Amino acid sequence: MQWLLDVLIGTLVRALERVAVFTRGQKRLTVLALDLVLLVQSVWMAYSLRMGEWAFWNDPILKFGGTALAVMLPAFIWSGVYNTIFRYAGVGMLRTLVRAFLIYTAVLAAVFTFYGIPTVPRTLGLLQPMLFFIFVAASRVIIRALIVDVLERRKFGGDVRRVLIYGAGRTGQQLASTMRSDPRFQLCGYIDDDKRLDGQRLDGLPVCWTGELEKLIERQEVTDILLALPGVTRKRRRQILKNLGEFNVLVQTLPTMSEIVDGKVSFSDIRPLDIEDLLGREPVQPNELLLGRTVVGKTVMVTGAGGSIGSELCRQIVMIGARKLVLFEVSEFALYAIHQELTKKLAAESRSLELVPVLDSIQAAERLDQVFAEHSVDTVYHAAAYKHVPLVEANPIAAMRNNIVGTRTLVEASARAGVADFILISTDKAVRPTNVMGASKRAAEQVVQAFAATSAKTRFSMVRFGNVLGSSGSVVPLFRRQIEAGGPITLTHKAVTRYFMTIPEAANLVIQAGGLASGGEVFVLDMGKPTRISDLARLMVRLSGLTVRDAQHPDGDIEIVEVGLRPGEKLYEELLIGEKPEETKHARIMKAHEDFMPWPRLDAALKQLAETDDPEQAIALLHRIVPEFEHNRDNKVA
């Protein structure tokens, strides 16, 4: 019997393959021919059921069949029945059929049931449309199943992923409808937090309460879970991901509801989990007054405009309502990329704002004076810096000239031009630094603090925060690439912890901090709780549907290897040098009170730093400027 079944299936597949290569017009004619056959069959059956005996051809059948054909063709064509693509047939197709059959039934019932035709039973005007509708709807379901479940799945030939959809709401149902036609996936059902839905069915798929998830995964051999929760809070999403991390399944997600509503993505845009899904926190509603004070109607300059933070500052400044934006950047490619992006954004939003791309270094004093004079800059956001710890350790002179001397040059130029607000973007690595990068940023902070103490016109302030998610050099994209390559994941040290914040949130808070400044403040952003990087790596492995290979699990998929701390790297970062930061009007912006070197002493050290080409002498000068700098070149962990 098996050979006969194989022959029948093979014959069916070959027939479907022939139909699949038909033109669109040929497919429509084929479906029309099928409907005509079903029309005749439904007339025969309806008449036979009414009369109580089989009849295939007589005068009543001829009268009713001819009239039904004359009504069916215009009703079906006008309703768009033959515009349906079968592989995507679903609720939309059903609505189209219902619309067509309402017209069809209304006409036949009016003619044969209410008006009446001699020799034709009146009940035929209602009975035949019901049978015809059942036949036509069933034909669509069967053909769709043949196309998707027989033809496309056999042609696919790859491993079919067995999928659960997390969320039995409207979004989950739309996702299921989209995925039914994809031969790569086999839908096993829904899971939902609402226990009342346990045991119910949606579109033929079972709904399971999340408390029974482990049993369902084992019973259905689930390989993937898709999160259909675009409107859920980040806190709830983190809890869900933590729970799913216990199972070896691949977890992916739909975009956020705001992305769907804004038209940026569609329900079909299933994506891997972003780090924001794992670590992101609930955003705080921005204070519009703080956002606007240094931006609205002003000429704003952003240094490092093409960098991770600088570019996001530019995006938000454009949307807040600046009059002119000066993009100051030393990298030609980075400047080109952000200028092109903002130009398109302004055109799409129909906003009038002048963009001024400036390609130069913040160490070029004459060029800075020229830019400030030509454009009458009101606000400066100073994001230009060399920030990669190992690269800065290998190039201390270049880093110190850019991060420290460049900041001094920019600060002096801003003061000469009478800029109203100057905001330095700093880092948590400036707190008790153990590397040149962190020490150079703390020195830059002191330059701003010292100038703020004597400035009469310009409000100088700085904003300090930790790692931003998705920035260049971030550990998360590195881990993802290593997982995709089959491992190993390279971890500097199992005890390393870091603070994380999304780039948009960081930039938004920086702008609001600038609005709080009165001069000389060291603002510190609330970064939440630090994250252990080793825990993050393990969670990313598990949510990729893989297992960690270690001594207890030698057959795991991905190994996590410790490679040792890099030069100057710390096990953990801090945000404050002193204690007890002062609260501000914003819940996530604090104000630190920290000492700095008076300008006469700092000025002398900076002049020496600008003149030296000896790395050791430069680092010694850095120790003078930043006394708490403990250079950990060997990274010996106590």
Side-chain angles (χ1 to χ4, degrees), residues 82-98:
Y82 300 114
N83 295 329
T84 301
I85 300 175
F86 274 29
R87 65 165 53 85
Y88 302 118
V91 177
M93 178 273 293
L94 185 61
R95 283 199 295 265
T96 301
L97 284 181
V98 168

Side-chain angles (χ1 to χ4, degrees), residues 360-578:
D360 217 317
S361 167
I362 56 172
Q363 299 176 57
E366 292 183 4
R367 178 63 169 143
L368 286 171
D369 287 337
Q370 179 187 0
V371 171
F372 281 127
E374 183 177 348
H375 300 289
S376 302
V377 175
D378 300 301
T379 304
V380 174
Y381 286 96
H382 178 30
Y386 292 151
K387 65 176 186 177
H388 293 284
V389 172
L391 293 180
V392 169
E393 288 295 319
N395 302 273
I397 295 293
M400 282 187 263
R401 285 179 177 169
N402 186 70
N403 294 1
I404 305 173
V405 179
T407 297
R408 177 204 175 133
T409 305
L410 182 63
V411 163
E412 291 177 330
S414 299
R416 286 193 298 270
V419 168
D421 288 278
F422 181 104
I423 301 97
L424 168 70
I425 313 301
S426 191
T427 170
D428 58 356
K429 293 178 177 60
V431 179
R432 283 180 276 274
T434 59
N435 53 65
V436 173
M437 194 283 283
S440 69
K441 291 297 286 183
R442 176 57 192 147
E445 287 182 354
Q446 293 202 53
V447 170
V448 176
Q449 286 178 286
F451 254 80
T454 59
S455 174
K457 293 184 177 180
T458 304
R459 286 183 291 266
F460 289 98
S461 62
M462 61 226 77
V463 185
R464 185 188 293 161
F465 53 90
N467 296 276
V468 287
L469 303 171
S471 65
S472 59
S474 173
V475 70
V476 176
L478 172 62
F479 284 175
R480 181 170 289 133
R481 289 193 299 269
Q482 290 174 334
I483 291 171
E484 291 173 351
I489 289 179
T490 54
L491 190 69
T492 56
H493 193 284
K494 63 181 180 182
V496 167
T497 62
R498 291 291 182 267
Y499 291 100
F500 286 101
M501 178 182 284
T502 66
I503 294 176
E505 183 184 12
N508 193 266
L509 289 175
V510 164
I511 297 173
Q512 292 180 76
L516 287 168
S518 58
E521 293 91 349
V522 179
F523 292 109
V524 179
L525 302 187
D526 176 9
M527 299 292 296
K529 296 180 180 179
T531 298
R532 190 184 295 269
I533 303 301
S534 60
D535 293 342
L536 174 61
R538 290 177 177 274
L539 182 60
M540 289 182 67
V541 170
R542 291 197 299 270
L543 293 178
S544 297
L546 304 171
T547 57
V548 176
R549 186 192 313 154
D550 52 25
Q552 290 75 34
H553 306 90
D555 296 327
D557 302 302
I558 304 292
E559 184 180 10
I560 298 177
V561 178
E562 287 188 57
V563 297
L565 292 172
R566 299 173 295 182
E569 188 174 24
K570 300 166 72 172
L571 282 178
Y572 60 93
E573 303 291 357
E574 306 166 90
L575 290 169
L576 294 171
I577 297 175

Side-chain angles (χ1 to χ4, degrees), residues 47 51 58-61 63-64 112 116-122 124:
Y47 185 81
M51 303 306 295
N58 56 31
D59 184 63
I61 290 176
K63 290 179 180 178
F64 190 93
F112 293 102
I117 300 296
T119 72
V120 179
R122 290 180 179 271
L124 215 58

Side-chain angles (χ1 to χ4, degrees), residues 332-387:
E332 180 188 25
F333 175 76
L335 181 60
Y336 171 80
I338 188 62
H339 184 256
Q340 288 293 106
E341 177 187 338
L342 294 179
T343 300
K344 293 178 181 178
K345 190 178 187 72
L346 288 169
E349 298 284 341
S350 299
R351 291 177 178 267
S352 59
L353 180 148
E354 184 181 354
L355 290 178
V356 182
V358 179
L359 182 64
D360 217 317
S361 167
I362 56 172
Q363 299 176 57
E366 292 183 4
R367 178 63 169 143
L368 286 171
D369 287 337
Q370 179 187 0
V371 171
F372 281 127
E374 183 177 348
H375 300 289
S376 302
V377 175
D378 300 301
T379 304
V380 174
Y381 286 96
H382 178 30
Y386 292 151
K387 65 176 186 177

Side-chain angles (χ1 to χ4, degrees), residues 225-245:
I225 292 179
L226 304 182
L227 301 184
L229 305 167
V232 76
T233 65
R234 286 181 177 172
K235 181 178 180 181
R236 178 58 188 148
R237 185 181 293 267
R238 286 200 309 275
Q239 183 60 48
I240 291 171
L241 293 175
K242 182 179 178 181
N243 296 338
L244 295 180

Side-chain angles (χ1 to χ4, degrees), residues 161-367:
R161 311 290 296 182
R162 297 182 60 82
V163 178
L164 283 176
I165 295 176
Y166 199 124
R170 181 178 299 175
T171 304
Q173 295 173 56
Q174 289 178 297
L175 177 58
S177 177
T178 301
M179 295 182 63
R180 287 180 189 274
S181 60
D182 195 325
R184 298 173 299 169
F185 303 107
Q186 177 65 52
L187 290 177
C188 300
Y190 300 90
I191 51 175
D192 200 275
D193 295 326
D194 190 346
K195 193 173 183 179
R196 294 172 299 178
L197 297 178
D198 190 36
Q200 303 296 315
R201 300 187 77 85
L202 281 177
D203 295 331
L205 295 173
V207 181
C208 177
W209 177 51
T210 47
E212 303 294 326
L213 181 57
E214 183 175 4
K215 295 178 182 178
L216 184 62
I217 289 176
E218 293 179 359
R219 185 170 65 251
Q220 297 281 5
E221 298 181 349
V222 173
T223 60
D224 298 61
I225 292 179
L226 304 182
L227 301 184
L229 305 167
V232 76
T233 65
R234 286 181 177 172
K235 181 178 180 181
R236 178 58 188 148
R237 185 181 293 267
R238 286 200 309 275
Q239 183 60 48
I240 291 171
L241 293 175
K242 182 179 178 181
N243 296 338
L244 295 180
E246 301 175 5
F247 312 108
N248 294 326
V249 292
L250 174 63
V251 181
Q252 298 187 90
T253 186
L254 279 176
T256 64
M257 184 59 74
S258 61
E259 290 175 318
I260 295 172
V261 171
D262 292 343
K264 298 177 182 178
V265 289
S266 67
F267 284 101
S268 61
D269 291 320
I270 300 167
R271 58 171 171 81
L273 292 167
D274 284 338
I275 188 59
E276 289 90 340
D277 298 317
L278 306 178
L279 300 176
R281 53 194 185 151
E282 295 303 315
V284 172
Q285 190 70 21
N287 184 317
E288 298 297 332
L289 291 176
L290 295 180
L291 279 177
R293 194 180 74 79
T294 60
V295 173
V296 173
K298 299 180 182 293
T299 296
V300 182
M301 184 168 89
V302 177
T303 68
S308 302
I309 294 295
S311 61
E312 182 61 28
L313 282 170
C314 293
R315 294 182 192 103
Q316 296 195 21
I317 288 167
V318 161
M319 299 307 293
I320 292 170
R323 182 174 61 86
K324 182 188 296 188
L325 177 57
V326 180
L327 309 169
F328 202 97
E329 175 60 61
V330 73
S331 165
E332 180 188 25
F333 175 76
L335 181 60
Y336 171 80
I338 188 62
H339 184 256
Q340 288 293 106
E341 177 187 338
L342 294 179
T343 300
K344 293 178 181 178
K345 190 178 187 72
L346 288 169
E349 298 284 341
S350 299
R351 291 177 178 267
S352 59
L353 180 148
E354 184 181 354
L355 290 178
V356 182
V358 179
L359 182 64
D360 217 317
S361 167
I362 56 172
Q363 299 176 57
E366 292 183 4
R367 178 63 169 143

